[in-house]
Amino acid sequence: MAVLTTYNVLKTLHVLAAVTWVGGALAFNILATRLRRANDPRALAGVAREMAVVGNAVFLPASLVVLALGIWMVVISGWDFEDLWIAIGIAGVVATAITGSAVIGPRLKKIGEAIAQRGPEDEGVQNDIARLFVIARIDLVVLAVVIADMVIKPGT
């Protein structure tokens, strides 16, 4: 029978935060791809605006929870920050958190301003949204690598 330990509670919260973050990012990417294929610039612009809100309100806090709880689990478990799988995990989470807050977030803000000025159908706006979702897809790949790293635990 599983024992309710501090580690198990932390791991559960860590995984829930990761699922929220990665699942939300995946859902946004799928929705954006579908709307782009459907050639629906208004809906795509709406998704970009919502992504800005969700990014700040959900993804950024979830990424910080994932990082903080991961570090806490390393400290209480006796693992070492020099373990390959831990180093890869921390580097990936930090990289995607920085990408979200320093690249994706500011670009979404500029896209929102461009939508307000030129409208969602503007070719430049649509091109900016397309470029943004390329960055978001790359970020999602990094998150997938982190997930694989956490499951496989290379170096152990």
Side-chain angles (χ1 to χ4, degrees), residues 55-75:
N56 286 326
V58 179
F59 296 167
L60 181 58
S63 71
L64 296 175
V65 168
V66 167
L67 181 61
L69 294 180
I71 290 170
W72 192 357
M73 286 186 294
V74 170
V75 169

Side-chain angles (χ1 to χ4, degrees), residues 109-120:
K109 183 177 180 184
K110 287 181 183 177
I111 289 169
E113 292 166 356
I115 290 168
Q117 292 173 356
R118 302 190 311 257

Side-chain angles (χ1 to χ4, degrees), residues 60-95:
L60 181 58
S63 71
L64 296 175
V65 168
V66 167
L67 181 61
L69 294 180
I71 290 170
W72 192 357
M73 286 186 294
V74 170
V75 169
I76 69 169
S77 69
W79 288 322
D80 193 325
F81 287 103
E82 293 178 10
D83 289 343
L84 178 62
W85 70 277
I86 293 170
I88 290 170
I90 290 173
V93 168
V94 168

Side-chain angles (χ1 to χ4, degrees), residues 23-143:
L26 179 61
F28 269 115
N29 270 278
I30 291 168
L31 183 57
T33 299
R34 291 179 49 81
L35 293 173
R36 194 133 164 88
R37 286 183 183 156
N39 195 24
D40 191 344
R42 285 191 175 277
L44 188 59
V47 167
R49 281 192 301 265
E50 290 303 317
M51 188 174 172
V53 173
V54 172
N56 286 326
V58 179
F59 296 167
L60 181 58
S63 71
L64 296 175
V65 168
V66 167
L67 181 61
L69 294 180
I71 290 170
W72 192 357
M73 286 186 294
V74 170
V75 169
I76 69 169
S77 69
W79 288 322
D80 193 325
F81 287 103
E82 293 178 10
D83 289 343
L84 178 62
W85 70 277
I86 293 170
I88 290 170
I90 290 173
V93 168
V94 168
T96 59
I98 289 170
T99 300
S101 61
V103 178
I104 294 173
R107 283 182 182 232
L108 283 166
K109 183 177 180 184
K110 287 181 183 177
I111 289 169
E113 292 166 356
I115 290 168
Q117 292 173 356
R118 302 190 311 257
E121 290 93 357
D122 178 79
E123 185 177 343
V125 168
Q126 287 299 305
N127 288 338
D128 288 346
I129 292 171
R131 282 190 292 274
L132 172 78
F133 278 106
V134 168
I135 295 167
R137 283 184 190 98
I138 293 167
D139 194 59
L140 193 56
V141 169
V142 173
L143 288 171

